[in-house]
Amino acid sequence: MTIWLDVCAVEEIDPEDVMRFDHEGRTFAIYRSAKGEVFATDGLCTHEKVHLADGLVIGDTIECPKHNGRFNYRTGAPLRSPVCVALATYPARIAAGRIEIAPGGAA
Amino acid sequence: MTATLTPYVPRDYSLTGPEAARAVQAGLASAEWYHSDVPRKVMKDLMQRRDGPALRDTAIWLGLMLATGAGGVATWGTWWAVPFFLVYGVLYGSACDSRWHECGHGTAFRTPWMNDAVYHLASFLVMRNPVSWRWSHARHHTDTIIVGRDPEIGHFRPPQLMLAALHFIGIPDIFLHFRVLARNAAGIITPDEADYIPETERPKAIFAARVHMAIYAGAAVWALASWSFLPLMLIGGPRIYGTWHMVMTGLIQHGGLAEDVLDHRLNSRTVYMNPISRWIYWNMNYHIEHHMFPMVPYHALPRIHALIKDDLPPPDPSIWAAYKGMIATLWRQRTDPTHTLFRALPPTARPYRADLHRFDVERGGA
């Protein structure tokens, strides 16, 4: 069974932006696309463990604020060096105006 | 103002020596750095990428290079060629560095292929392997002026001032760069390079070095075949006769400032300079701001400077002023390598964190 975690109200993240979400010692990056869809990935860059929530969302990509490496936040795929390792992604959804994520994956 | 640090022990600036292990042990590697506070919405606006400014500047850059290069060729053999090559040399041998740098960060243009295209062109002009230097520069941003970690420390202590002066004519820079390119082209990656270039990227570094070396070989053959220096005035030579502006602005980025600190206000320098130098340098005179927020494009650096300047040491008012402070410090470092230039913070700034840096710096300097 999928366990969904409540993150925040949808409007707390601007379209085409990202927010940091910490839960039980883990940190996530929560994204809202320009079209209003929501996504979740690990919160730290796979290159140097920098918080991606301080970075810039450009279309479907998140750019790390430290070294400008980029990932596709929908798939976690690395797009630009110095990142080489993919980012873990997690299911995310909007339910009753709130963003929820499933850090354990969908059942 | 100045302060003396702990007793000096000669340092090993390689990335594989004892200083590297010491930096990791001391928590200086991949550490969390000080940042001035900038509201998220403002930062988001500052980080926005645009193609316009870099397209304009690149068109001017390449257009001027073409025009002055053509002028130099047309007047070759007369004194009229001198002014053409003076300008061509700086556009090639100095402006290449800032274009390499900004496009390497991927912030100059919004469109990724434009960043990549200018990055590769500028890498060739500046004689840097486009693959290995991308990784080297990432490390420079992770561990800025951390001894044993940063491969781009420009001033070793005690400083060699004559060597620093020779850099203004590309010596020993171009010989070192050629040696690295030749070594990479032969398929050799050194242990230091292997420390910051992932294994998967190394074949790309070797391929890029081979392409660069092939072009230089072509220029040399052209010069020999035509029995003229002209081909070398156009290709490669500007890294000798036109590199002075890159060195002039580059040496003051970190020169004389602190090693092994986690606050860019202590190891980087912001300098006000004339608009022509700022255009050649693509605003990297705002160097504290660039290191603190590398995702802010060059054209937005004056804006972020205006926002956070009350949290930074006052900028040097001119290139001359920056050199005055730096040279006095480097001169003293010849006999006292522990000597470091500290800049006082304004009363509005958050203080330097002495607990992070193991020296006693009060607000206003020590």
Side-chain angles (χ1 to χ4, degrees):
Chain A
M1 183 183 149
T2 305
I3 299 171
W4 292 95
L5 284 178
D6 181 67
V7 176
C8 64
V10 175
E11 59 272 18
E12 284 183 52
I13 308 178
D14 288 339
E16 209 171 15
D17 203 4
V18 57
M19 191 183 83
R20 176 175 166 178
F21 174 62
D22 294 336
H23 179 74
E24 291 185 348
R26 296 174 68 187
T27 186
F28 302 91
I30 314 298
Y31 310 84
R32 191 173 167 205
S33 73
K35 290 178 186 166
E37 308 149 289
V38 293
F39 300 89
T41 69
D42 268 343
L44 299 176
C45 179
T46 57
H47 171 233
E48 287 283 4
K49 307 295 175 201
V50 175
H51 282 284
L52 292 170
D54 293 328
L56 177 66
V57 175
I58 308 170
D60 290 345
T61 68
I62 174 70
E63 182 178 284
C64 172
K66 186 78 173 176
H67 302 102
N68 311 88
R70 289 184 186 178
F71 300 93
N72 180 318
Y73 63 72
R74 291 171 181 262
T75 64
L79 299 177
R80 184 177 187 281
S81 63
V83 298
C84 299
V85 178
L87 201 57
T89 59
Y90 304 95
R93 69 181 186 186
I94 298 171
R98 298 199 58 88
I99 297 173
E100 296 178 340
I101 65 167
Chain B
M1 283 198 191
T2 61
T4 300
L5 301 178
T6 48
Y8 181 73
V9 177
R11 311 202 70 177
D12 176 356
Y13 286 87
S14 76
L15 306 189
T16 50
E19 292 280 3
R22 189 202 60 83
V24 172
Q25 205 171 20
L28 292 169
S30 306
E32 195 161 334
W33 286 67
Y34 175 82
H35 289 96
S36 298
D37 283 333
V38 179
R40 171 75 189 163
K41 277 191 189 302
V42 177
M43 181 51 69
K44 211 178 131 185
D45 183 48
L46 287 164
M47 289 191 290
Q48 289 308 315
R49 303 298 148 74
R50 293 158 58 199
D51 284 335
L55 276 174
R56 177 202 62 207
D57 285 343
T58 304
I60 295 171
W61 178 48
L62 296 179
L64 280 174
M65 270 179 71
L66 202 66
T68 52
V73 170
T75 56
W76 183 244
T78 74
W79 285 103
W80 288 108
V82 173
F84 283 118
F85 279 113
L86 281 177
V87 178
Y88 177 81
V90 170
L91 293 167
Y92 180 129
S94 288
C96 60
D97 179 52
S98 53
R99 276 62 184 170
W100 166 84
H101 177 263
E102 276 297 281
C103 295
H105 277 283
T107 50
F109 297 91
R110 180 181 170 86
T111 307
W113 72 261
M114 293 183 187
N115 281 315
D116 288 341
V118 175
Y119 177 74
H120 280 278
L121 171 66
S123 293
F124 172 75
L125 301 180
V126 78
M127 289 186 180
R128 290 176 191 150
N129 188 312
V131 179
S132 49
W133 273 81
R134 199 190 282 276
W135 291 92
S136 148
H137 198 64
R139 176 68 72 81
H140 173 60
H141 272 269
T142 305
D143 298 321
T144 311
I145 321 298
I146 303 292
V147 179
R149 294 285 300 174
D150 184 351
E152 295 184 9
I153 295 180
H155 300 266
F156 294 174
R157 299 185 192 185
Q160 293 181 289
L161 296 181
M162 188 51 79
L163 203 61
L166 284 173
H167 273 96
F168 282 85
I169 51 166
I171 297 169
D173 226 27
I174 61 160
F175 299 113
L176 294 174
H177 285 338
F178 253 123
R179 198 169 67 187
V180 173
L181 280 174
R183 195 177 55 220
N184 290 163
I188 300 165
I189 300 287
T190 64
D192 264 26
E193 288 168 334
D195 192 52
Y196 55 80
I197 309 172
E199 208 164 342
T200 51
E201 297 291 303
R202 291 174 202 164
K204 294 180 197 166
I206 290 165
F207 175 75
R210 287 174 180 166
V211 172
H212 284 203
M213 289 303 286
I215 298 171
Y216 287 123
V221 168
W222 178 18
L224 282 171
S226 60
W227 203 243
S228 166
F229 275 114
L230 182 58
L232 301 180
M233 290 296 286
L234 294 168
I235 301 169
R239 279 293 275 112
I240 294 174
Y241 70 81
T243 206
W244 61 270
H245 191 281
M246 169 173 80
V247 177
M248 177 183 74
T249 49
L251 287 179
I252 51 178
Q253 289 177 350
H254 306 283
L257 302 173
E259 293 175 337
D260 294 348
V261 293
L262 300 177
D263 187 334
H264 295 110
R265 299 177 302 175
L266 283 163
N267 68 12
S268 306
R269 185 184 271 109
T270 286
V271 182
Y272 289 147
M273 51 183 73
N274 68 79
I276 294 173
S277 286
R278 277 181 47 201
W279 181 83
I280 294 169
Y281 196 23
W282 260 7
N283 282 337
M284 279 304 124
N285 54 307
Y286 298 107
H287 215 64
I288 301 177
E289 294 84 344
H290 167 65
H291 267 278
M292 214 181 256
F293 301 108
M295 63 286 198
V296 173
Y298 76 96
H299 49 79
L301 285 174
R303 282 167 59 208
I304 196 164
H305 169 70
L307 276 171
I308 66 171
K309 66 180 181 198
D310 292 342
D311 197 38
L312 310 183
D316 284 283
S318 64
I319 295 172
W320 171 249
Y323 267 88
K324 216 168 136 189
M326 181 183 77
I327 288 174
T329 306
L330 296 182
W331 191 258
R332 194 165 147 191
Q333 282 179 355
R334 289 178 319 130
T335 51
D336 175 11
T338 66
H339 180 69
T340 297
L341 176 65
F342 288 105
R343 278 87 48 80
L345 288 171
T348 46
R350 280 194 282 165
Y352 296 129
R353 288 183 56 188
D355 59 314
L356 278 181
H357 305 127
R358 297 181 298 151
F359 53 76
D360 183 21
V361 178
E362 295 172 356
R363 185 186 296 274

